[in-house]
Amino acid sequence: MASPDSVGVMNIGTFAEATWGDAVARCPKQMAHGPCAGVGDDHSCEVPGFGPCTFLDVLDAWPHPAPPVSGQRRDPSPAAWTSEASAATSTAAFRAAAAFRAAAARRPVVVADLPAAPLSADGLRASADLLAPVADACLLGDHGGARVQFPPSYRARLLTERGVVVWAGVNGRDRNRVALEGEIAACVDAGVTALHCVTGDHPALGHRADARAVFDLDSVGIVALARGRGPLVSAAHAPAAPPADRRLSRLIAKIDTGVDVVFVDHCGGPEGVGDAVARLRDTGFDGLVLACVPVVTSAATAAVVASFATGRLPAGYLEAVLDANDPREAGVRAGADLAARMIALPGVDGVNLSGGAEPGHELAAAGATADITRRLLGASTRTAGTSGPAAGPRTSPTTGAGVAP
Ligand code: SF4
């Protein structure tokens, strides 16, 4: 017969699992490991009109990091189902990842979001031709303003064939686990340097709001698919998103699954990033850490950055750029200065120049991002068609100081 104590524990456990499971089931993205980074400061769900995030009332009922919910259709561990694709690796991808690690061991690195017109190979190449020669890698994201675009693996192939160092983004919004396996295998085969694994925004936030959301896997499940194939595996950390006191445990779930690189999202500026990185390093994480820096050089780029980072940028950052006589110059200077402060923080290995542009402004945004990179690192221009980060230490014209460790 069970003791009263053990009965009590069992009851609490049963209650907690049921409560947590209910929150997962009601969540529009079925986030098995806890709330996504889209929770509003008022605790509202990222899906307009949905109401409060389903997790915020039940977090105290569950230990963190939250274990997977048994019986859910989403199994965060793909070990239970394997396929031929899960064994796909690439020598080129292993080499590219090793080259990036070597560069990061010598000096701060820059991974730059690549603004590019959707559904245009020529547009993608044109933007990459501006940015790739100076950045260590181009991040191919999946912004909500361009819900219909070439698949990640096709964009990756277009650019790796051009010699661009590609950091490919994959998310769970539009593809189930089988489709994701194919995408990841194709990215690996293309020789990408890294795979950035995120859950993704709900379709309700984009230009295809009526599309059915998939979310068969969240970021943890996608990391599990991506690890061990050759490319570095990265994930996002959103220290400022509610509930802020649970964000590190969410990140640890990703790290324990196989993350090599953490992108620390906008969280108010260097002070917030410094605190978040210190806590992350205190956990023993010895991978690479990149701090996100907003690229705001025009109204067209400000609109995009504001759509995902409002309230999480340094105070007055957007306004100072937009109110300047020359917003482009002001934005390049502000971006380079902020990036220099980020890379000076202990535990930070580099930056992610983060942003995008409204339709028709992608090429200009790519050029401005390249200028920020040049100002930050004094990068010597690589010859188009050569892969791999520029060699040798660089000197920051922003700080006037050497940035090689
Ligand atoms: S904010 Fe994110 S985690 Fe919370 S209910 Fe909405 S989709 Fe789910």
Side-chain angles (χ1 to χ4, degrees):
M1 184 175 172
S3 70
D5 277 355
S6 66
V7 169
V9 170
M10 286 171 62
N11 285 343
I12 290 170
T14 303
F15 166 77
E17 183 166 1
T19 304
W20 186 267
D22 178 62
V24 174
R26 288 187 294 115
C27 164
K29 291 158 62 172
Q30 298 189 29
M31 298 290 295
H33 294 84
C36 71
V39 183
D41 290 339
D42 61 355
H43 294 181
S44 60
C45 173
E46 71 173 17
V47 176
F50 181 81
C53 173
T54 60
F55 287 94
L56 296 186
D57 290 337
V58 304
L59 285 169
D60 290 340
W62 198 257
H64 59 95
V69 178
S70 59
Q72 296 289 317
R73 66 180 172 82
R74 179 188 5 234
D75 175 4
S77 170
W81 55 279
T82 58
S83 72
E84 299 80 6
S86 67
T89 60
S90 158
T91 302
F94 276 110
R95 284 185 181 146
F100 188 90
R101 280 188 202 273
R106 295 194 306 271
R107 55 172 174 75
V109 287
V110 175
V111 175
D113 289 12
L114 181 66
L119 304 176
S120 169
D122 287 343
L124 187 66
R125 293 187 192 103
S127 288
D129 285 351
L130 291 175
L131 191 49
V134 291
D136 290 286
C138 292
L139 174 58
L140 308 182
D142 192 7
H143 180 253
R147 279 292 185 248
V148 179
Q149 59 182 333
F150 291 147
S153 59
Y154 179 60
R155 283 183 283 154
R157 174 66 71 177
L158 285 171
L159 293 186
T160 54
E161 286 182 345
R162 205 171 181 80
V164 175
V165 180
V166 171
W167 204 288
V170 286
N171 70 66
R173 181 188 57 242
D174 306 316
R175 295 174 178 87
N176 70 6
R177 63 184 64 187
V178 178
L180 284 169
E181 263 211 300
E183 278 299 319
I184 289 171
C187 285
V188 170
D189 189 62
V192 301
T193 295
L195 292 160
H196 191 52
C197 304
V198 298
T199 302
D201 295 336
H202 194 279
L205 303 181
H207 291 172
R208 288 292 186 276
D210 55 337
R212 185 187 296 269
V214 179
F215 297 114
D216 191 18
L217 296 176
D218 64 7
S219 56
V220 178
I222 299 171
V223 167
L225 283 185
R227 67 187 174 200
R229 309 289 193 85
L232 298 167
V233 174
S234 65
H237 178 36
D245 62 340
R246 301 301 176 97
R247 289 294 160 192
L248 185 56
S249 67
R250 289 242 323 129
L251 177 63
I252 290 170
K254 302 176 193 178
I255 289 171
D256 287 348
T257 305
V259 163
D260 304 300
V261 185
V262 170
F263 285 54
V264 179
D265 205 356
H266 310 284
C267 53
E271 189 174 339
V273 171
D275 288 347
V277 174
R279 285 198 292 272
L280 170 57
R281 293 300 191 191
D282 282 347
T283 70
F285 177 68
D286 62 358
L288 300 178
V289 174
L290 305 180
C292 291
V293 172
V295 176
V296 180
T297 54
S298 64
T301 52
V304 172
V305 170
S307 72
F308 62 80
T310 292
R312 293 171 192 171
L313 300 179
Y317 190 91
L318 276 175
E319 296 76 8
V321 172
L322 295 179
D323 291 346
N325 290 331
D326 183 348
R328 187 186 190 284
E329 170 57 24
V332 168
R333 189 185 320 118
D337 286 347
L338 182 57
R341 294 171 67 195
M342 294 294 194
I343 61 178
L345 294 168
V348 171
D349 298 289
V351 293
N352 163 231
L353 298 181
S354 157
E358 291 185 318
H361 299 270
E362 295 92 346
L363 203 58
T369 308
D371 282 352
I372 292 174
T373 308
R374 283 192 194 90
R375 262 189 221 197
L376 175 65
L377 297 179
S380 57
T381 301
R382 289 199 303 270
T383 304
T386 57
S387 181
R394 298 166 169 169
T395 301
S396 167
T398 306
T399 61
V403 293

